[in-house]
Amino acid sequence: MLSDYKTALVTGASAGIGAGIVAWLAAKGIQVHAVSRDKARLDELAAKTGCTAHAIDIRDTGALEALEALRDVDILVNNAGVSRSGDILSTDRCGVEELVDVNIEAVLHLVRIAMPGMMTRDRGHIVNVSSIAGVYNFSGNTVYHATKAAVHMLSQQLRIAAYGKRVRVTEICPGRVETEIFGKVIGDMARAQREFYDGFESLKVEDIVAAVAYAIEAPRHVNIGHIEILPTFQVPGGLNFERRAD
Ligand SMILES: NC(=O)c1ccc[n+]([C@@H]2O[C@H](COP(=O)([O-])OP(=O)(O)OC[C@H]3O[C@@H](n4cnc5c(N)ncnc54)[C@H](OP(=O)(O)O)[C@@H]3O)[C@@H](O)[C@H]2O)c1
């Protein structure tokens, strides 16, 4: 139960889903380490919630290794993520490297550093925020889909690694959530609001926080492995079949 857990580390804490999870954990009395790059926003969150701010780029593996708190956490929330517009045909080198580095390589390092302590203490919970992009194919950024598919498989594989210990693994797999992510992708928050959110009943940060809370607050003999959560009006799937002109 949550009362077994004393500490947490949340990546992508400066905005959106991550900030919501930090606030919920802190309100539950957990000592939360909040990680992302934007120091000013982290400091604001720390003032509001009492979390400890760590302004770190998670692509900096040395900085993750130097983060002492990571070795002792009961709850690790791998939430930081980035996306790009366009598919593999229009992706440049940076569009591959940044997404791979943030969305999957950093997650592997964070787990590699945090999980041994959880195994020794026989107590821990890893929450990975993936995406429906990791389990369904639809129009979107190819690299993003590929990295989120890796997080999906990693989450299942971690259950094998944790076998025999009270270390739980939960994958949260959301559809569209109203955050800053689309604004960052197209470089225009107001246009993203108009194109992706106005008129749609998207998920809110609190819907994802509620899913995380459900998994974390489950009795300790219960592992909630995978939660897919979509807006009611968003359905994945579809099939294309192009007739050749010649
Ligand atoms: N919103 C959606 O529709 C949706 C749907 C499915 C899945 N998701 C996933 O949900 C997670 C949270 O996204 P969100 O929607 O809350 O997006 P967001 O509002 O853009 O927040 C992304 C967070 O990731 C952090 N981040 C990005 N690059 C980083 C880096 N190199 N080092 C450290 N932190 C970094 C950002 O902080 P800094 O810029 O301060 O570093 C920010 O706190 C992501 O994994 C995303 O893929 C979102």
Side-chain angles (χ1 to χ4, degrees), residues 12 14 17 37-38 57-58 79 130 144 148 174-175 177 179 184:
S14 63
I17 294 169
R37 291 165 302 178
D38 191 325
D57 186 328
I58 60 169
N79 163 77
S130 61
Y144 184 75
K148 290 299 184 176
V177 190
T179 67
K184 288 171 184 164

Side-chain angles (χ1 to χ4, degrees), residues 2-39:
L2 192 56
S3 59
D4 290 342
Y5 299 144
K6 304 272 182 275
T7 58
L9 187 143
V10 180
T11 67
S14 63
I17 294 169
I21 295 172
V22 168
W24 178 76
L25 286 167
K28 287 281 172 184
I30 301 290
Q31 187 200 340
V32 189
H33 296 273
V35 173
S36 57
R37 291 165 302 178
D38 191 325
K39 185 173 180 331

